[in-house]
Amino acid sequence: MGKRNKNRKNNTNPFAQKKRDKKNNQKPDRRSEPYVEILRENASFSKYYKQQKIVPEGEWETFIKSLQSNLPTAFRVTGYRGESETLLDIIKSEYFTEYFKQVTEDGGEMTIQKPFPLPWYPGELAWQLQLSRKDIRRSEIFYKLHNFLIAETNAGGISRQETVSMIPPIVLDVKPHHRVLDMCAAPGSKTAQLIEALHAEMEEKKELPSGFVIANDIDNSRCYMLVHQAKRLNSPCFLVTNEDSERFPDLLCTNKESGKVENMQFDRILCDVPCSGDATLRKNPDIWTKWNPAHGTNLNGVQFRIAKRGAELLTIGGRMVYSTCSFNPVENEAVIVRLLKESAGALELIDASNLVPGLKFDPGMREWELATKEMDFYRNFTEVPEKYHTILRPQMFPPEDVEQFHLERCMRILPHHQDTGGFFVAVLVKTKPMPWEKTQTEARESPKGPQKKKRRLGGYKEEPFVFFHGDEDVFESIKSFYTLREDFNPTCLLTRCFTGKKKNIYFASEAIRDVVQLSGDALKIINTGVKVFVRCDNKNMSCAFRLAQEGLPSVNEFVGNGRRVLLERSDLVTLLQNIDPTKPPRLEELSEAARERIAGVTPGSCILEYREERLQLSLVGWRGTTSLRAYVDQSETVHMLRLLRADVSKYEVNKFRKAEEEAAKELVVEEEDEKDGKDEKEEEKEEVVEKEAEEAKMD
């Protein structure tokens, strides 16, 4: 028996007591309190930015009025997917025409301003609605539009994203062969856009891009938001890492020409750095209540170090975009001018406005002042009192030779320009190595110096990423069953375990495999690869693995014709509209042409195909002995039914009607309870009367 804890009194468990104390001291749940509208004003904000002259004096009222209004909703259609044209037609003809009329209280009609394509976004694939998220979410007239936005976002058909947030990936100008690094990627809307750009030109060729996107974030939990965002796009050319961007490790790669291993440098880098976020006031009105100038000055150092590390990782001729969702020049121009100054000509600030024709913006600022929390302003460091020297630093002020850095090439997007949020964008090109950089030869010959102590990052310990060698028995079984083409590279397949039964098999591009195998030890990898095969032990199937829908685009071209079934539209609609997994459609329910094609396919996992001039669909199916089913989740099912112009009403939930029905049911229950209560009282009265009558009779 162990020793008794002397500090323990009255047999009280100290851990349980601590938990009880915490519960007793817990603040009340504010969700039960009535919502109080935030006052969208801040005297310090107005004073600071008036002093900075971020807008002409005559535009100030328009600027503030715009900031005080709600942000319009915007979304992008996923451009590289083959069905984007069809989906865009459906959006225009159905959702934009039919659902933008609102019935007023007097019974008349009020036409809401029509959505419009963003003029600077390629292919009319990005649209802005003159409705806020709150308008769409809380108005019954828009419930179908709301359902559509949610369903298509889950299926990867569209991405909901703030308008100005789409600009940095466009001016980064990503091509399929580029190695791309997103240094501060979470929550992932820009990352998704980078992935789309990487795949854009390869869709028609039906090939994977030779480049890749590495999305990094210092916050472990936010890394999983990245995984969720990217999973919708099903790209095998994507890797999520959890590293401190200021100290992002050097990665290794294989030089394709020489075959030698060397330090990797990136062709494109996005530095969308942490910032004060005051340009998001329309979306995040709570910033009004806590804004002060210190938020910007406190972040300046972190922002510079991230940008500096990005410049080091950039290849000669590569492009880096620095962006923030802040108006503050201390977070914007001050960082850029310091970076240009320290690069000693290795970086050039360029004008990338040709990539966003029609976008309205102001040029970068050449003059700005710094301020304390007390709103004391200083034009240069010599004016700053000594007590503020650790807060307001010399490099935060504009240099005397500021003109030579061409800060006017930066882009300042303000909310009143085109009814959006605010954003700052600067595009830099690397012309030569940074002054402190070593060449590849020097890096190999000289030993690495002492490394700075890495910040400890929390989070889960991820399972290993184990790539196939190519001679695994599992692969031979898969190759035989699906008659994979000889040029399919099995070494791009991976699992998440060294031993035991492989449950899921993933696929990654050759470039990603190279990064993981050469740099995996130096890199905290969160996720990579798309699921292509899933273990499915079935007595009617000679192969233990079925195809996975999310990885089908990666392996579709390699699967032989013996595992394919071409369907008519009516057949595919029948399969997709079946919602009972225990009762898949019988073969006799399908067309005669479909039955003839199915006859040549042995039971097991297969690919169901539909082909027309503008729409081509491929999905995973299961050929049973007497049935055929589609193996797709609900969001993908609704997406495909919508593309086929089929009925999706069974998936359309009107949450307003549902709430009314539930309220009505509750009312009925209450009325029944009340009636039962009255009946009980009546019965009690009758019993009393009868009892009194009996007593009177006895008397």
Side-chain angles (χ1 to χ4, degrees), residues 104-149:
T104 57
E105 291 181 358
D106 60 0
E109 286 192 350
M110 177 182 67
T111 303
I112 296 172
Q113 186 177 344
K114 287 186 177 181
F116 59 89
L118 302 178
W120 42 267
Y121 198 96
E124 285 195 354
L125 291 175
W127 290 74
Q128 183 166 307
L129 317 179
Q130 297 309 98
L131 296 163
S132 69
R133 288 183 297 176
K134 188 187 293 185
D135 294 332
I136 295 173
R137 192 170 59 247
R138 296 186 180 180
S139 302
E140 184 176 359
I141 196 73
F142 300 128
Y143 86 89
K144 285 189 177 181
L145 175 65
H146 188 226
N147 289 347
F148 164 78
L149 292 173

Side-chain angles (χ1 to χ4, degrees), residues 442-453:
E442 290 173 334
R444 284 194 298 269
E445 292 177 353
S446 62
K448 288 189 176 181
Q451 297 288 312
K452 288 184 179 179
K453 187 176 180 181

Side-chain angles (χ1 to χ4, degrees), residues 71 110 125 261 350 426 454 477 550 554 600 653 683:
L71 184 70
M110 177 182 67
L125 291 175
V261 174
I350 67 167
K454 287 183 70 174
S477 169
E550 65 187 77
S554 298
V653 178
E683 288 176 3

